[in-house]
Amino acid sequence: MGEEISGKCSLRREQSEERKKRFLEYLSVSGNISEAGRVAEVRRSTLYLWKETDKDFSSRWEDALEEAADALEAEARRRAVEGYDEPITYAGRVVCDPDTGNPIVRKRYSDGLMAFLLRAHRPSRFRAGMEADGRSGIISINISSDDSAL
């Protein structure tokens, strides 16, 4: 009977480790905890319990989120710098080359993503409201109900 219980615990531990691995793999791609939990077939409450009680899992969780963020940043940079192809439309329909039948595209760049990346990586130069020396230029105003304080 003891071996049977031990065998069940061992199997459950292996299944948990496999689900942890699946969760972390998907989290590193999606960056979405709920979605990665669904893929791994693990409830959020269980995931957070594992995170609280397993330091190695918690560390790998944070690494996975960093990987997902790095991938997003790389894609934002690619769209801002290299651009992307956007099909040309007319009257709600994609315009195609009459000779090849392929959609006609134009190269688009994202100025918004470029500005966002510059603000993130060079805040002292590109963050709105920042002075050249990095100060925010915030003005403090004190309001008093006592006229003599004015």
Side-chain angles (χ1 to χ4, degrees):
M1 185 161 176
E3 287 180 29
E4 185 178 319
I5 292 173
S6 176
K8 285 182 182 180
C9 289
S10 178
L11 178 61
R12 188 169 289 148
R13 199 172 309 114
E14 287 175 23
Q15 289 172 339
S16 292
E17 290 304 317
E18 182 57 38
R19 287 182 175 167
K20 285 179 183 180
K21 181 181 173 188
R22 200 170 344 145
F23 167 78
L24 293 168
E25 285 173 354
Y26 200 80
L27 184 62
S28 71
V29 174
S30 72
N32 186 304
I33 294 162
S34 295
E35 189 176 343
R38 282 190 293 275
V39 168
E41 298 176 343
V42 180
R43 291 189 307 233
R44 280 179 63 94
S45 59
T46 301
L47 292 168
Y48 281 99
L49 176 65
W50 288 345
K51 188 173 192 262
E52 287 178 22
T53 59
D54 182 342
K55 286 184 181 182
D56 181 55
F57 178 72
S58 179
S59 176
R60 292 186 311 171
W61 176 317
E62 297 305 322
D63 289 345
L65 288 175
E66 285 298 317
E67 277 186 51
D70 287 347
L72 284 175
E73 186 176 352
E75 178 61 15
R77 181 178 305 278
R78 186 194 67 74
R79 290 182 186 201
V81 176
E82 296 173 23
Y84 56 96
D85 292 333
E86 178 181 76
I88 296 175
T89 60
Y90 178 76
R93 302 185 80 164
V94 174
V95 177
C96 293
D97 182 320
D99 296 330
T100 65
N102 294 329
I104 299 174
V105 297
R106 67 178 154 217
K107 187 65 85 174
R108 299 292 298 230
Y109 299 88
S110 177
D111 292 341
L113 285 173
M114 180 68 76
F116 179 80
L117 290 167
L118 287 169
R119 284 192 306 269
H121 292 285
R122 300 283 166 95
S124 64
R125 293 181 64 194
F126 295 102
R127 186 162 290 153
M130 295 293 273
E131 308 240 345
D133 61 2
R135 292 182 293 154
S136 66
I138 296 173
I139 298 173
S140 176
I141 300 173
N142 294 322
I143 299 175
S144 171
S145 61
D146 181 9
D147 288 342
S148 65
L150 299 173

